[in-house]
Amino acid sequence: MNITNSYTRLPDRFYARQDPAGSPDPLLLVWNRPLAEQLGLGGLEEDPELVARWFGGNQLLPGSEPIALAYAGHQFGNFVPQLGDGRALLLGELTNREDGRPYDIQLKGSGRTPFSRNGDGRAALGPVIREYVVSEAMHRFGAPTTRALAAVSTGERVRRETALPGGILTRVAASHIRVGTFEYFAVRRDREALRALLDYAIERHVPEAAGAESPALAFFRAVAQRQARLVAQWMALGFIHGVMNTDNMAISGETIDYGPCAFLDEFEFDKVFSSIDRDGRYAYGAQAGIAQWNLARLAEALLRIADDKPAFESVLADFEPQFRSFYLAFMAPKLGLESVEAGDDQLVMDWLGHLEENRLDYTLSFRRLADRLWSEDGAGFGEFETRWKQRLARQSPTKEQVREGMNAVNPLFIPRNHQVERAIDAAIQGDMSVFQELLLVLQRPYTQQPRFAAYAEPPGEGERILQTFCGT
Ligand code: AMP
Ligand code: MG
């Protein structure tokens, strides 16, 4: 193991040194063996007690210098000049053997830090389980995301509305630099720090920007493009992040901070699950607009060390058409289209309109649509289906090929809210088997798994989850 700490080479005001508090009785609940192997941690499953001490915060990984990162952020539109890692610690970086790049290893729920404010620095097991299963599913869907390496129960109760078992998630990320990290130094008018942060972020995430005429602008353009693509992919998957504050938007373009997130059951453009999102600021259909709003905050921060405001504005103006084109590129194969033609955006809108009007399950409808290729009765997807078949008739693949292609990109299994809740409830009772089974099913989300067919089903009336919570 060779853990490095590039962030500690940045000026002191970027972070606070802090050791994890340690857990009274750390127990390894889940270990992501394939990911561990990629990170050079193969074989550790043979010593689960050591792993529990490391990732329960009781013992430092050799070479690790734990730090809490400073950042600010706009939360629901309101600027908070100091947030920072209040319950997380960056242990350092490990190189991923698959791409040769460094990945942050972070403990989440490992105790108080100088940024904790009134928080206890802890995490309840529920949100740990949720982040684990949803982030790993996101990875299977091919969307950029932070990942989960381990979940440990601490043996300690945390006080939320009730006393709940505590947990620590080990998160792996391309980095933990957020839009809010730039905002933190911008509001302090700390141009030296902004320059250092920009150089660091460029080196780590957009190395090609280093040689550009304006590295800040080239960096911004790349970040904007990644966000446009990410949000398009979320929307194609039916995913609602739920709390797209600027401190929860990673510069790397990875999905980060799985709080009150959820996948849609029936399609609804304005759907909100999060209990704290009363105005629907982060509703399903609002996400592209919010990403653009967050990018405007990043542009403002960067403009403290760059000029050419109109160039930044033009990148921002390009966001919406860029998002649309990514979104169409994700949606076309879901509808069996080989390529995107003029008019396909309308076809997608017609599809969504049909789903919404008939309150149909978003995920399963794509699979059912593929089965309609051979049907000619009127029982399917109404007028949309007729237009869709006319559109398919203009391309060459056979029905079998179309269905195969659709099923390869339309998941049968998603981490449905009610299934995630079931896994959490059992885990809180000390039973990890429900979680393990859900995780297993989600490892092959596109494949029929007859034993687990029930996992593909939308919630029954009594199972419906109406709200999700941050749980912090
Ligand atoms: P999040 O909801 O994860 O985006 O967190 C927003 C801010 O609240 C971050 O600065 C977190 O570090 C902080 N925070 C959330 N939960 C806790 C907690 N239990 N203890 C201390 N700080 C917390
Ligand atoms: Mg956060």
Side-chain angles (χ1 to χ4, degrees):
M1 185 181 354
N2 187 14
I3 200 156
T4 52
N5 299 74
S6 65
Y7 213 78
T8 58
R9 293 202 297 269
L10 288 163
D12 288 349
R13 54 198 188 280
F14 278 64
Y15 56 86
R17 291 190 189 270
Q18 175 70 53
D19 281 343
S23 306
D25 188 14
L27 179 69
L28 183 63
L29 299 177
V30 208
W31 178 243
N32 191 335
R33 207 166 146 179
L35 180 59
E37 272 159 23
Q38 285 178 28
L39 294 168
L41 303 174
L44 278 179
E45 62 279 0
E46 313 221 329
D47 194 349
E49 271 139 44
L50 175 66
V51 175
R53 286 198 301 279
W54 275 347
F55 298 108
N58 294 59
Q59 195 176 319
L60 286 185
L61 270 88
S64 153
E65 297 173 65
I67 52 174
L69 274 51
Y71 55 83
H74 278 85
Q75 299 186 306
F76 290 91
N78 303 308
F79 186 63
V80 184
Q82 178 158 319
L83 289 165
D85 287 333
R87 56 166 163 170
L89 290 171
L90 176 60
L91 298 179
E93 299 131 47
L94 288 171
T95 302
N96 188 323
R97 291 171 178 177
E98 282 200 351
D99 58 11
R101 300 172 79 100
Y103 281 79
D104 280 8
I105 311 298
Q106 192 207 53
L107 299 184
K108 196 170 169 186
S110 52
R112 290 181 55 84
T113 78
F115 302 107
S116 295
R117 291 168 293 162
N118 298 321
D120 60 3
R122 299 293 191 179
L125 190 54
V128 169
I129 294 288
R130 174 188 297 278
E131 175 153 352
Y132 198 114
V133 66
V134 183
S135 66
E136 284 303 297
M138 198 58 104
H139 175 70
R140 295 285 156 200
F141 297 142
T145 178
T146 64
R147 297 196 61 190
L149 176 65
V152 169
S153 66
T154 60
E156 191 174 57
R157 297 245 146 200
V158 297
R159 288 172 65 95
R160 294 297 178 258
E161 254 126 66
T162 55
L164 293 165
I168 298 179
L169 180 83
T170 303
R171 177 158 78 179
V172 177
S175 87
H176 283 87
I177 306 169
R178 305 143 192 270
V179 168
T181 318
F182 284 89
E183 291 179 287
Y184 180 87
F185 297 112
V187 68
R188 287 166 178 75
R189 299 174 192 272
D190 187 344
R191 301 172 77 213
E192 185 191 305
L194 275 172
R195 284 199 196 92
L197 178 61
L198 177 63
D199 287 347
Y200 179 88
I202 284 180
E203 189 182 330
R204 214 160 156 184
H205 298 301
V206 197
E208 64 277 15
E213 192 183 324
S214 166
L217 179 62
F219 169 76
F220 182 61
R221 189 177 287 123
V223 172
Q225 177 167 358
R226 284 177 206 182
Q227 290 299 331
R229 187 177 190 283
L230 179 68
V231 176
Q233 199 166 6
W234 287 351
M235 300 216 15
L237 283 164
F239 178 74
I240 313 175
H241 181 283
V243 57
M244 289 177 70
N245 294 333
T246 56
D247 53 304
N248 293 338
M249 186 189 260
I251 290 303
S252 64
E254 290 179 327
T255 312
I256 192 168
D257 272 11
Y258 291 81
C261 61
F263 282 82
L264 292 172
D265 292 304
E266 67 273 19
F267 183 79
E268 191 187 329
F269 196 73
D270 294 328
K271 185 69 188 174
V272 174
F273 284 100
S274 168
S275 62
I276 53 170
D277 190 4
R278 294 201 184 82
D279 304 323
R281 180 180 171 89
Y282 300 138
Y284 170 80
Q287 298 184 105
I290 287 293
Q292 188 189 33
W293 190 91
N294 290 349
L295 288 165
R297 307 291 79 77
L298 177 61
E300 284 163 7
L302 289 170
L303 280 164
R304 293 200 181 269
I305 51 166
D307 29 51
D308 203 358
K309 191 169 176 203
F312 280 80
E313 281 166 349
S314 117
V315 172
L316 276 176
D318 281 345
F319 180 85
E320 137 100 72
Q322 209 169 47
F323 162 76
R324 287 200 169 282
S325 112
F326 278 122
Y327 178 66
L328 256 184
F330 282 115
M331 290 304 280
K334 287 174 76 68
L335 291 174
L337 307 182
E338 258 191 313
S339 57
V340 177
E341 281 182 6
D344 286 347
D345 48 351
Q346 190 54 49
L347 191 72
V348 170
M349 287 302 131
D350 290 352
W351 169 241
L352 298 179
H354 182 87
L355 297 183
E356 184 154 34
E357 227 164 82
N358 296 282
R359 305 189 60 81
L360 296 177
D361 186 79
Y362 181 71
T363 301
L364 288 187
S365 292
F366 287 96
R367 302 284 292 208
R368 300 209 165 120
L369 183 64
D371 292 334
R372 291 291 302 169
L373 283 160
W374 289 266
S375 310
E376 276 165 28
D377 61 76
F381 293 91
E383 283 169 43
F384 164 79
E385 190 175 310
T386 312
R387 282 196 293 275
W388 176 63
K389 285 178 175 164
Q390 286 162 355
R391 170 67 179 82
L392 289 182
R394 293 205 303 276
Q395 57 176 37
S396 51
T398 63
K399 287 177 180 175
E400 282 79 8
Q401 288 168 329
V402 170
R403 181 164 70 173
E404 207 174 297
M406 287 173 73
N407 286 352
V409 294
N410 292 323
L412 184 55
F413 301 102
I414 54 166
R416 291 187 185 266
N417 299 325
H418 67 295
Q419 303 287 9
V420 174
E421 286 308 319
R422 272 185 64 229
I424 290 173
D425 290 345
I428 289 174
Q429 303 300 320
D431 170 10
M432 290 301 290
S433 67
V434 181
F435 167 84
Q436 289 294 358
E437 192 170 272
L438 179 60
L439 199 64
L440 181 74
V441 172
L442 290 169
Q443 270 167 23
R444 292 185 301 139
Y446 303 101
T447 311
Q448 294 268 11
Q449 303 174 52
R451 262 181 70 204
F452 300 123
Y455 281 92
E457 292 302 315
E461 268 319 307
E463 293 176 316
R464 194 176 278 280
I465 303 290
L466 302 174
Q467 274 196 328
T468 52
F469 301 89
C470 286
T472 58

